[in-house]
Amino acid sequence: MPGTMAPSRPKRTDKRKQEPTPPAPHPEAPAERTSQNRSGKSLQLYIPPDLADAFDAYIEASRPKTTKTGIIVMLLEDFLRKAGTLPAEGGAK
C-alpha cells in the first residue's frame, strides 16, 4: 500500500555526534603552539601552596623573564645530571 507509507526523511547533513570540545588552554600556556612545543612529554604537577608561592616569587624575580616550564626543565636536568641518569652537557657522564 504505497499511500500509507511515510515519506523517506532527507539525510542529515550535520554530524550526529559532535567532536568533543577541546579543553580551554591553560592561562600560562603560550598563545601559539608549534611543533617545537610538542616535541616532549606533557607533565601535570601539583605542589603545596607555600612551594607554589616561592616558585612564583622566583619567576617574578628572574631576569630575563622565563617560563615555569623552562625553570622546571632546567632544575630537572640539573637534578638528573647529579643523579647520574642524564649525561653532562658535554656528552660524558
Side-chain angles (χ1 to χ4, degrees), residues 70 72-82 86-87 89:
I72 292 172
V73 168
M74 178 189 68
L75 295 173
L76 188 57
E77 287 172 345
D78 289 346
F79 174 80
L80 294 175
R81 282 192 182 99
K82 288 178 184 174
L86 182 69
E89 289 185 51

Side-chain angles (χ1 to χ4, degrees), residues 7 13 20 37 49 69 73 87 93:
T13 55
N37 295 23
T69 300
V73 168
K93 272 192 173 179

Side-chain angles (χ1 to χ4, degrees), residues 14-74:
D14 64 331
K15 292 183 180 178
R16 200 68 145 144
K17 281 189 172 181
Q18 296 290 329
E19 293 295 321
T21 305
H26 191 275
E28 295 175 11
E32 183 178 314
R33 295 195 178 265
T34 64
S35 61
Q36 180 184 8
N37 295 23
R38 296 176 183 254
S39 62
K41 290 187 176 185
S42 176
L43 174 68
Q44 188 169 2
L45 179 68
Y46 293 96
I47 57 176
D50 57 337
L51 185 57
D53 292 341
F55 189 58
D56 289 339
Y58 177 81
I59 290 172
E60 285 300 314
S62 67
R63 295 279 187 257
K65 289 291 183 190
T66 187
T67 63
K68 288 182 179 182
T69 300
I71 292 172
I72 292 172
V73 168
M74 178 189 68

